[in-house]
Amino acid sequence: MLSSCLKTLLDFTNWHTVSHTPTLASLKIRAKFQDEAAENLASLVINSSDQKSARFSGYLLLGCLAVMGALATSAAHADSVLGVELSPAICKLNPYMGNLRQCIEGNPMTVNFYRVANQSCSNSRYSMSPLQEKITSKVIPDGNIRKNIWQQYGRCSGLSTPNYFRTITSLASQLKLPKELSSGRSYRFASSGLSRQLLSLNPGMKPNSFNFFCQKNSAGQSVLTYINVCYDNNGRFAQCATRSYACPSQFLIDGNY
C-alpha cells in the first residue's frame, strides 16, 4: 500500500516511477447519510482552497506515512479507518504546509484520509455536486487533496464519489473528540488519559479502536499529529488490526498556531 500511496504523490509531481496498487479490503459501509449532520462539524470547519503542488506533495506524503504507521487492516478486524489530522501541530511542524487553508484560518482539525478494506480499485472519476463539495470542504478543505484522497482511497472503497464523501462527513460528525484538541491551547497529555476521554465521549468505542501518531518538534518533544479511528462495515467502532506505537506514553497536544 505504501508503494501505491507514493505513486499517487510521484504522479502528482510529475516524477516517473513504477508501483502497484494492492487490493484493499472487501466490506463496504452501508448507512443512511444526512447532509444536515455534516453541517454540524463546528470543530472541523475549513474552507477549500487550491494550493501549490509542492506543498500538496508534502501534505500527501505525511498522510501516506500516517496511514502506514503500524496500521494494517484485515477483515477480521476493522473494515475501514478514518484519519483525523491535528492541524495546528501539523502546520507548525511542517512550515512548507503553511499556505494550506486550515493553517491560514487556524482550524483545529481536518480529515486527512478514509480507507475502506479490500475492494477492487476502479477507474471511477471524482464527481460531486457543488453542494456536496461545500459540505465536504468543512472536513477536507483543499480541492486537490479531496481529489487525490479519492484517487488513492475512494476509488478503492466500493463506493461512488458522493457516497464515499458522505461517509466521511457522517463519521466525522459523529466522532466526539476531547475539547483540549480544539481549545487553541497546548497541553501535556498521557496517552492513557486521552484514551479514557475518547472512550468516555464515544459509546461503543473500544480501547483498541484508535491509534495515535506523533512527530517530534525542534526541542525533541513528541507532539500528537494524527488520530486514526477504526470502524466495522456498519460504521460502528471496531478493533484496529494492530496497535500503533508511534507515540510515547506522554506527549504534547499543541493547539497554538
Side-chain angles (χ1 to χ4, degrees), residues 99-168:
N99 282 346
L100 290 174
R101 183 59 58 186
Q102 60 262 39
C103 301
I104 294 171
E105 298 191 347
N107 294 282
M109 287 167 280
T110 67
V111 171
N112 73 304
F113 79 92
Y114 175 62
R115 186 183 72 217
V116 178
N118 282 344
Q119 290 285 349
S120 298
C121 298
S122 71
N123 292 319
S124 299
R125 293 184 177 181
Y126 175 92
S127 177
M128 282 198 291
S129 69
L131 174 60
Q132 193 176 7
E133 287 271 15
K134 180 180 178 181
I135 292 171
T136 305
S137 72
K138 295 180 179 181
V139 294
I140 308 173
D142 187 86
N144 284 332
I145 293 172
R146 288 197 297 274
K147 290 174 183 177
N148 280 274
I149 288 175
W150 167 255
Q151 179 68 19
Q152 177 60 32
Y153 302 106
R155 68 183 187 86
C156 301
S157 68
L159 300 170
S160 65
T161 312
N163 283 344
Y164 175 75
F165 287 102
R166 284 195 189 106
T167 302
I168 288 176

Side-chain angles (χ1 to χ4, degrees), residues 33-83:
F33 305 110
Q34 298 183 1
D35 285 345
E36 308 94 83
E39 293 282 7
N40 293 326
L41 299 171
S43 66
L44 298 174
V45 174
I46 304 165
N47 295 320
S48 65
S49 174
D50 288 341
Q51 308 297 334
K52 294 181 180 179
S53 63
R55 293 188 179 89
F56 169 75
S57 301
Y59 181 88
L60 179 58
L61 179 57
L62 284 171
C64 293
L65 295 176
V67 174
M68 293 305 300
L71 240 175
T73 58
S74 69
H77 298 277
D79 299 308
S80 62
V81 182
L82 182 75

Side-chain angles (χ1 to χ4, degrees), residues 88-89 92 106-108 180-187 252-257:
K92 287 175 69 174
N107 294 282
E180 288 86 355
L181 299 182
S182 57
S183 68
R185 300 173 59 188
S186 296
Y187 300 85
L252 294 177
I253 292 176
D254 191 350
N256 291 317
Y257 274 91

Side-chain angles (χ1 to χ4, degrees), residues 175-195:
L175 180 65
K176 303 297 187 294
L177 298 173
K179 61 183 181 181
E180 288 86 355
L181 299 182
S182 57
S183 68
R185 300 173 59 188
S186 296
Y187 300 85
R188 180 170 292 280
F189 248 91
S191 177
S192 58
L194 184 57
S195 297

